[in-house]
Amino acid sequence: MNTTAGTQIAALVAQAEQFAAHGDFARAIGCHQRALALSPGRVDSLLQLSYLYSLAGHYRGAEAWMQHAQASPQATPQQLAAMIPRLRTFNDIPALRRVLARLGPPARMQVPALITAASHLTYANLPEEAIAYLDEAKRADPDYPATLLARAQVLMYLGRFDEAEQDIVRSQRRAPEIAQGYWLRAALGRQSAERNGAAAIRRELQRPGRTANDMALLEFALHKTLDDLGEYDDAWQALTRGCAHKRATLDYDDARNQRLFDALTALPPLPQAEASADGARPLFIVGMHRSGTTLLEQMLCGSTEVKGIGELYDFTSAMRHATDHHCRGVVDEEIVRRAAAIDPLATGARYLHSTSWRLDGERCFTDKLPSNFLNIGFIAATLPHARILHMVRDPVETCFSNLRELFSEANPYSYDMHELARYYQRYRRLMAHWHARFPGRILDVSYARLVREPEAVMHEVAAFCGIAYSPGMLNSESRQRGVVTASAVQVRARPSASERPKWAPYAAGLAPMIEALSQHD
């Protein structure tokens, strides 16, 4: 590139930054397109065009520019690293893995890059790949707390609990102020009177300068610990404080959520894609979070005909592409509004293509994202051969389990009893609507029956899915696959029915939620 062209590009980039800062994305896009004309294949401009198209509300264009960027042989290691979160935005996991491969083997990467790579691979339900990066990060610096805590979390997903605890303990010796360590350690197993972290957690709660997220982590850890010890009054107070801290960090609009449910209920029937026998059959496992979806997936994995993949965002990505709109969460009102114009066959084919690389010839695969219950209208239209399994659990048990689970940024409705109860009632009404709209397409699976009569229920599930029942379905606790969900610890134990629900000691505090859940239309 000559000096004149370089000067012109620098001026164009500076102009683009000014336009973007004022929300004039069209002019910013024009600047980068002119820069590309001067320097074809300029990776920084390709990346910026992807971001700008997203900001301007054009999902397909943003995705296309990102594809150009990641395919460029000119990309530097810094540019490749910048592509990783962008590729995750589009759920293009094969491309993300290719970019990681271009960055070289883990031994050649710096520790922060290794942790970042592992984070994105874990998000993609690839904990077996993520752990290799964290193992290398630990080898490079055995006492770096961020590595140890990230590694502990992935080890939990892999069922390697003793190793996870060793990493947490090692981290806490070096950096006892990190709140995440106490939360992870409390989640690892049942606390006892002789061995628990209550005193240490209470001490850390008094440390000056704590953020709301820190306080939430510590209060949830204290709740879990005190609940294990049977100190229910103090456990309830810790949970109440933890929920308040977490709720204060989240942008959740209850009225907007109501409008989304209303829009889904009012959605007119969509054109149906033609049924096809080609490709593997998706088994969507949906329902409220904490309703037993992970257990059902683990049991289905006892069949050689089924590949358990975990919680996927591939269907949401297919709908974003079909409607040329990037939504928050799995769906929003704008996607519902634009859905009438989608090509159902192309949308279903895109979803199946995006998941095909994960399969090894199995006839069926699970997609266990609970909140896909919102997408049932679109799933039914675009994937006529899919099966939809709906986990049903007692409303109070489900909502209490949500209330005491500290999610990342998901499920922002779950930290306030009133918001949670309203969300549950919307979910209940929407599922009744889907059943009426699509008779025979959805099988309700009772969590209580699944735990008490697993063989009978799995016979019914297998028949609905069109696969043979296998006795191996009953040995869910023996699975070696990684489980990247909040149930990673519980699902490793043999399922058992409890005579007394977990919420019973908290009935007085939960009374407003219990009352709200008892209301029916």
Side-chain angles (χ1 to χ4, degrees):
M1 184 191 308
N2 60 44
T3 304
T4 302
T7 302
Q8 290 177 308
I9 288 172
L12 287 166
V13 170
Q15 284 183 324
E17 290 176 353
Q18 291 179 353
F19 287 135
H22 290 89
D24 192 343
F25 304 123
R27 286 190 180 182
I29 286 169
C31 289
H32 278 290
Q33 288 175 330
R34 291 197 293 277
L36 279 177
L38 291 167
S39 177
R42 183 176 184 271
V43 176
D44 283 342
S45 284
L46 295 172
L47 284 167
Q48 287 305 310
L49 282 166
S50 179
Y51 280 109
L52 289 166
Y53 265 73
S54 281
L55 291 168
H58 303 300
Y59 182 87
R60 295 174 194 158
E63 186 179 37
W65 284 114
M66 188 61 243
Q67 289 171 347
H68 288 308
Q70 65 90 17
S72 171
Q74 305 171 20
T76 66
Q78 292 76 16
Q79 290 167 335
L80 289 170
M83 293 177 192
I84 293 173
R86 194 71 186 143
L87 289 167
R88 203 187 89 174
T89 294
F90 300 108
N91 204 44
D92 192 347
I93 308 306
L96 187 154
R97 294 166 88 204
R98 290 194 295 271
V99 166
L100 283 174
R102 288 174 64 184
L103 283 168
R108 287 171 47 190
M109 297 169 66
Q110 298 296 313
V111 168
L114 290 165
I115 296 173
T116 299
S119 171
H120 290 292
L121 288 168
T122 303
Y123 171 90
N125 278 292
L126 297 169
E128 296 86 356
E129 295 184 21
I131 200 64
Y133 287 85
L134 294 170
D135 287 346
E136 178 57 34
K138 184 177 179 181
R139 187 201 63 77
D141 186 347
D143 293 310
Y144 185 45
T147 295
L148 293 168
L149 292 176
R151 187 170 181 269
Q153 184 135 32
V154 176
L155 289 170
M156 288 172 63
Y157 295 146
L158 294 171
R160 294 160 58 181
F161 302 134
D162 290 343
E163 293 175 75
E165 183 164 25
Q166 290 168 15
D167 277 1
I168 295 169
V169 170
R170 192 166 186 165
S171 169
Q172 289 181 319
R173 287 178 185 147
R174 179 79 174 269
E177 71 278 7
I178 299 179
Q180 183 191 16
Y182 300 91
W183 177 67
L184 288 172
R185 197 170 184 185
L188 266 175
R190 189 170 183 83
Q191 308 290 294
S192 67
E194 298 75 28
R195 187 172 179 272
N196 68 80
I201 296 168
R202 285 186 167 117
R203 183 177 63 248
E204 290 303 319
L205 281 164
Q206 302 307 311
R207 188 184 289 271
R210 286 291 187 192
T211 66
N213 276 320
D214 281 349
M215 296 296 285
L217 285 162
L218 290 166
E219 293 286 14
F220 271 79
L222 184 60
H223 163 73
K224 166 64 166 58
T225 300
L226 296 176
D227 179 79
D228 286 347
L229 299 177
E231 299 178 21
Y232 299 120
D233 289 342
D234 287 346
W236 173 251
Q237 294 303 319
L239 179 59
T240 301
R241 294 190 300 267
C243 285
H245 286 301
K246 183 64 178 180
R247 181 66 182 86
T249 70
L250 298 170
D251 174 22
Y252 174 65
D253 185 332
D254 190 67
R256 182 171 59 201
N257 182 259
Q258 177 68 66
R259 291 195 301 272
L260 171 61
F261 277 78
D262 289 344
L264 288 166
T265 304
L267 179 71
L270 299 176
Q272 299 286 302
E274 293 184 8
S276 172
D278 296 336
R281 169 177 288 169
L283 308 177
F284 287 91
I285 304 174
V286 304
M288 285 288 290
H289 281 81
R290 312 298 296 156
S291 62
T293 55
T294 301
L295 173 60
L296 179 58
E297 181 182 52
Q298 286 287 86
M299 298 179 82
L300 275 167
C301 288
S303 167
T304 57
E305 299 179 77
V306 179
K307 176 73 173 286
I309 296 180
E311 297 186 356
L312 304 180
Y313 289 87
D314 293 71
F315 191 81
T316 283
S317 295
M319 286 298 297
R320 288 171 177 171
H321 185 273
T323 57
D324 195 20
H325 172 68
H326 188 103
C327 63
R328 292 180 62 187
V330 298
V331 67
D332 67 3
E333 289 179 80
E334 185 62 20
I335 281 187
V336 178
R337 188 182 70 80
R338 299 186 186 190
I342 71 170
D343 180 338
L345 185 62
T347 304
R350 185 177 184 85
Y351 168 80
L352 293 173
H353 176 73
S354 73
T355 54
S356 61
W357 64 273
R358 296 180 182 266
L359 304 179
D360 299 307
E362 294 87 359
R363 290 185 55 228
C364 303
F365 66 93
T366 59
D367 186 333
K368 192 211 74 70
L369 185 64
S371 50
N372 264 332
F373 77 83
L374 295 163
N375 279 322
I376 285 176
F378 308 130
I379 292 169
T382 60
L383 296 162
H385 67 308
R387 296 290 184 266
I388 302 170
L389 300 164
H390 171 221
M391 285 300 303
V392 180
R393 189 181 181 189
D394 175 81
V396 180
E397 289 183 6
T398 302
C399 288
F400 177 62
S401 191
N402 273 268
L403 193 70
R404 68 195 301 258
E405 185 62 53
L406 185 59
F407 298 97
S408 52
E409 299 305 311
N411 307 349
Y413 54 81
S414 68
Y415 302 99
D416 177 282
M417 283 192 291
H418 303 284
E419 291 174 340
L420 177 55
R422 286 195 292 272
Y423 187 92
Y424 184 90
Q425 295 287 38
R426 291 166 193 161
Y427 144 80
R428 181 184 59 78
R429 289 191 291 269
L430 182 61
M431 286 307 307
H433 170 74
W434 292 142
H435 271 293
R437 172 70 64 83
F438 307 110
R441 290 295 308 273
I442 305 164
L443 177 69
D444 285 347
V445 181
S446 163
Y447 176 79
R449 276 196 68 218
L450 182 63
V451 172
R452 290 183 168 87
E453 308 169 39
E455 184 172 357
V457 173
M458 290 311 295
H459 270 287
E460 296 166 10
V461 168
F464 179 79
C465 294
I467 61 176
Y469 169 79
S470 169
M473 293 176 175
L474 305 185
N475 300 320
S476 60
E477 72 279 7
S478 66
R479 307 282 182 263
Q480 297 303 307
R481 58 184 290 270
V483 178
V484 186
T485 75
S487 303
V489 175
Q490 300 97 310
V491 82
R492 305 287 179 180
R494 177 170 286 276
S496 60
S498 174
E499 294 304 318
R500 187 183 191 223
K502 286 290 293 183
W503 59 264
Y506 306 101
L510 292 169
M513 186 181 79
I514 295 171
E515 171 62 23
L517 290 172
S518 70
Q519 303 299 315
H520 292 280
D521 297 334

